[in-house]
Amino acid sequence: EWRCIGVRGPDAASVDLSDVDAAVTAAVDWRGLPGVDLLGPAVEPPASLPVAHDVAVHNVRIEQGWPTMGHELDESVIPGEAGQWLVDTSVSFTKGCYTGQELVARIDSRGNNTPRRLRGLVLGANVLPPVGAEIVVDGEVRGQLISVGESLDLRAPVALGLVHRSVDVPATAVVRWSGGDGAPGGEAPAQVRDLPLSQEPRSPEPLAG
C-alpha cells in the first residue's frame, strides 16, 4: 500500500525534499498552480511545510478547476467536457483499445464541441448551495453544481459545474436549489466564469496535503 503526498504552491519545485522517503517524485501542474506528488509506502509530508486540511485542498482544487473522479469525472462525463486541456494531457490517441476510445476519438475529430463544459462559478451571496443545485441562465436551467467550496483569494463561495455550451462566459446566473425533508430551498446570484477562477498570484508559501 502506497501513500501520495501532494505539495502545492508557486515555489513547490524549490522545496527541500531531502528528508522525504519517496519512491516516486513527480512534478504536477494544477492548471497553473505548480506542485510535486510524493509517492511511496511510508512517505510523509516534508518537515518544513505546514499540512493543509482536506477542506483547504478541496477549495484550491475548485479555484483551479481541477476535476477529480467521483465529482467532475464519472461514467456520465465525457473527458472533453472537462476541457480540451484534459484531453491533451491525459488521453492517448496512439495506444491500443481502451474503454471509451471510440467516443473520445470521434469527439476530438469533430472539434471537441461537447454538449456541456466544466465552468467555475463565483457566488454573490454568503451561502454554500448544495451539490446538485441548478444553474439558471436567462430563466433556463443550463447546468448543475458538482463541487462547492469557499475561496480565500476571492473572498466568496465558489463552485464547479457542468454548464451547457450555449452559455458564453462570463455570464450572470442564479443558483437555485430545493430543500430536503421539508427544509426551505434557496437561491443566490452567481457569475459563471472560465477556469481557473483564481487568476491572481498566490501566496508563495507551499503547502502539503
Side-chain angles (χ1 to χ4, degrees):
E1 294 185 2
W2 279 25
R3 299 181 67 197
C4 177
I5 301 294
V7 179
R8 299 291 184 269
D11 293 336
S14 63
V15 173
D16 182 8
L17 301 176
S18 59
D19 62 337
V20 177
D21 183 19
V24 176
T25 300
V28 297
D29 188 319
W30 271 14
R31 304 187 69 177
L33 181 64
V36 179
D37 277 350
L38 310 169
L39 297 96
V43 65
E44 295 289 340
S48 60
L49 298 184
V51 177
H53 191 278
D54 288 348
V55 173
V57 176
H58 175 74
N59 290 338
V60 172
R61 181 184 74 77
I62 292 175
E63 289 176 340
Q64 296 304 121
W66 187 260
T68 61
M69 294 301 296
H71 290 272
E72 291 71 36
L73 300 174
D74 60 22
E75 66 277 1
S76 69
V77 178
I78 302 168
E81 292 181 320
Q84 183 62 42
W85 68 271
L86 180 65
V87 175
D88 292 341
T89 57
S90 62
V91 175
S92 173
F93 292 95
T94 59
K95 290 182 179 178
C97 295
Y98 55 85
T99 303
Q101 179 190 41
E102 205 172 296
L103 176 61
V104 172
R106 185 165 68 248
I107 290 176
D108 182 74
S109 68
R110 296 177 181 177
N112 200 27
N113 193 22
T114 56
R116 304 176 299 177
R117 292 168 186 173
L118 185 65
R119 300 296 192 191
L121 289 95
V122 179
L123 277 74
N126 190 23
V127 59
L128 289 179
V131 169
E134 297 175 335
I135 302 168
V136 181
V137 179
D138 294 332
E140 295 189 38
V141 177
R142 291 301 188 185
Q144 66 177 33
L145 301 188
I146 302 171
S147 293
V148 179
E150 296 181 89
S151 169
L152 293 180
D153 281 358
L154 299 175
R155 299 183 182 276
V158 291
L160 294 176
L162 284 171
V163 181
H164 194 271
R165 66 187 177 196
S166 63
V167 177
D168 293 325
V169 292
T172 300
V174 173
V175 174
R176 185 174 64 196
W177 63 95
S178 58
D181 298 326
E187 63 178 43
Q191 186 178 58
V192 184
R193 299 185 186 179
D194 203 357
L195 294 165
L197 287 173
S198 183
Q199 303 290 343
E200 297 299 320
R202 292 181 163 278
S203 166
E205 182 180 25
L207 297 171

